[in-house]
Amino acid sequence: MSIQNEIAEGAEASDTVALDAELAKPLSEVWTSLTQPAGIEALFGEGVQLGAKGDPWHGADGTYGVTRSYHPAEQIRISWHAHQDAPATVVDVQFREAGAGTHISLRHEHLPGDADHEGLRARWQAGLDRLAAL
């Protein structure tokens, strides 16, 4: 599956990493992938399994948080801590049909001033690429 990254220059706030991607498969397929453990791990990281709103999650890399919003085929919103002592940030992923494919808008918001924006951009780009490959 192909993925194209569309990032508008200057569109990000200093506390946000934003990516927009087009997956060349229908929203129903993308969402079905995300309801499986391999799909959630592809996007959010190894070991991550999301539950209902309010349920905690943990990744093998030490990231953790709480599921904040889960609207099938529309949105996943989680709190996200990079490690045990890190402040809470928010990852909001929106899904919508885009012709025969799927548009995904991922926003990692409320980042502290010392956040590694390029590292986070690479992390989320890799997650979108893995999701597209499923």
Side-chain angles (χ1 to χ4, degrees):
M1 299 294 151
S2 67
I3 187 169
Q4 296 174 344
N5 204 10
E6 300 171 355
I7 302 171
E9 287 296 318
E12 294 181 13
S14 62
D15 69 343
T16 302
V17 169
L19 294 99
D20 289 294
E22 301 289 333
L23 274 63
K25 55 184 167 180
L27 177 56
S28 61
E29 282 185 38
V30 172
W31 194 257
T32 297
S33 293
L34 280 169
T35 62
Q36 306 300 313
I40 289 294
E41 285 190 346
L43 183 57
F44 292 110
E46 183 181 348
V48 174
Q49 297 302 313
L50 301 180
K53 182 177 179 178
D55 286 348
W57 63 268
H58 295 84
D61 62 357
T63 57
Y64 71 97
V66 173
T67 302
R68 295 290 179 201
S69 179
Y70 185 91
H71 299 280
E74 293 178 11
Q75 178 201 42
I76 296 173
R77 185 175 178 91
I78 61 172
S79 65
W80 191 85
H81 298 261
H83 52 78
Q84 185 173 2
D85 299 322
T89 61
V90 174
V91 178
D92 185 76
V93 188
Q94 304 275 333
F95 304 86
R96 67 174 168 79
E97 291 181 357
T102 301
H103 179 88
I104 299 176
S105 175
L106 186 148
R107 303 288 181 262
H108 192 159
E109 305 167 329
H110 309 296
L111 298 171
D114 62 349
D116 177 7
H117 283 67
E118 290 309 311
L120 288 169
R121 181 182 309 287
R123 175 192 182 97
W124 297 121
Q125 182 63 60
L128 290 167
D129 290 343
R130 287 188 299 270
L131 182 61
L134 290 178

